[in-house]
Amino acid sequence: MSECVFCRIVARQIPATLVHEDEHTLAFMDLGQVNPGHVLVAVKAHAENLYGLSDTQASAVLQSAARVARAIRDAFAPHGLSVYQANGKAAGQTVFHYHVHLVPRYEGDGMALTWPVKNPPREKLEDYAAKIRSSLSPR
Ligand SMILES: [Zn+2]
């Protein structure tokens, strides 16, 4: 039996409140519910994080997330919706099975993300982009 809690949910070995399922993804209610209607969209086949997703899984997750997001919008009429996804402990990941949070948002709901912008000069942006481009793997 897998030790991964989300693999166990996918395998129906532990309960979850399901919202949506397709070939590659499973969407279920987050137990924590930052706001009512807070859903997690996870890949079915175990991948620890974004780095480990196949192209098929990556596509499937965003399709499911968009579909479920529209349903959350229609069901709860939030003021907004945050899509949150963390990779690695330093980023705040706590369950190491890839998943995306869909969080209905309201003015003054207390959810906060610190966004400490650095506004580097254009030359720095070019340097950063060149590093990333040189590491992009061919498809
Ligand atoms: Zn897993």
Side-chain angles (χ1 to χ4, degrees):
M1 180 183 295
S2 174
E3 295 298 312
C4 172
V5 65
F6 286 3
C7 281
R8 295 184 69 193
I9 287 172
V10 169
R12 308 299 203 270
Q13 292 169 342
I14 56 175
T17 302
L18 304 184
V19 170
H20 172 70
E21 179 173 18
D22 61 27
E23 183 181 357
H24 298 289
T25 69
L26 188 68
F28 49 95
M29 303 309 292
D30 188 304
L31 290 177
Q33 292 295 291
V34 167
N35 284 318
H38 177 180
V39 172
L40 303 179
V41 180
V43 290
K44 282 185 170 176
H46 184 89
E48 182 172 316
N49 52 38
L50 182 64
Y51 310 124
L53 293 185
S54 68
D55 287 352
T56 298
Q57 287 177 305
S59 297
V61 163
L62 194 55
Q63 287 179 36
S64 289
R67 188 168 178 198
V68 174
R70 289 188 289 268
I72 292 168
R73 178 195 60 193
D74 293 350
F76 291 90
H79 300 152
L81 183 122
S82 290
V83 178
Y84 184 77
Q85 195 275 313
N87 300 283
K89 188 177 175 196
Q93 187 175 11
T94 57
V95 176
F96 293 87
H97 177 128
Y98 181 85
H99 61 285
V100 172
H101 291 259
L102 301 175
V103 185
R105 298 297 309 280
Y106 301 89
E107 300 295 336
D109 66 9
M111 185 174 166
L113 174 66
T114 303
W115 198 268
V117 297
K118 308 295 189 293
N119 297 315
R122 174 70 60 189
E123 308 84 66
K124 282 287 187 191
L125 296 180
E126 294 294 340
D127 290 345
Y128 302 157
K131 286 183 180 183
I132 295 167
R133 284 193 301 264
S134 70
S135 296
L136 276 175
S137 57
R139 296 194 48 146

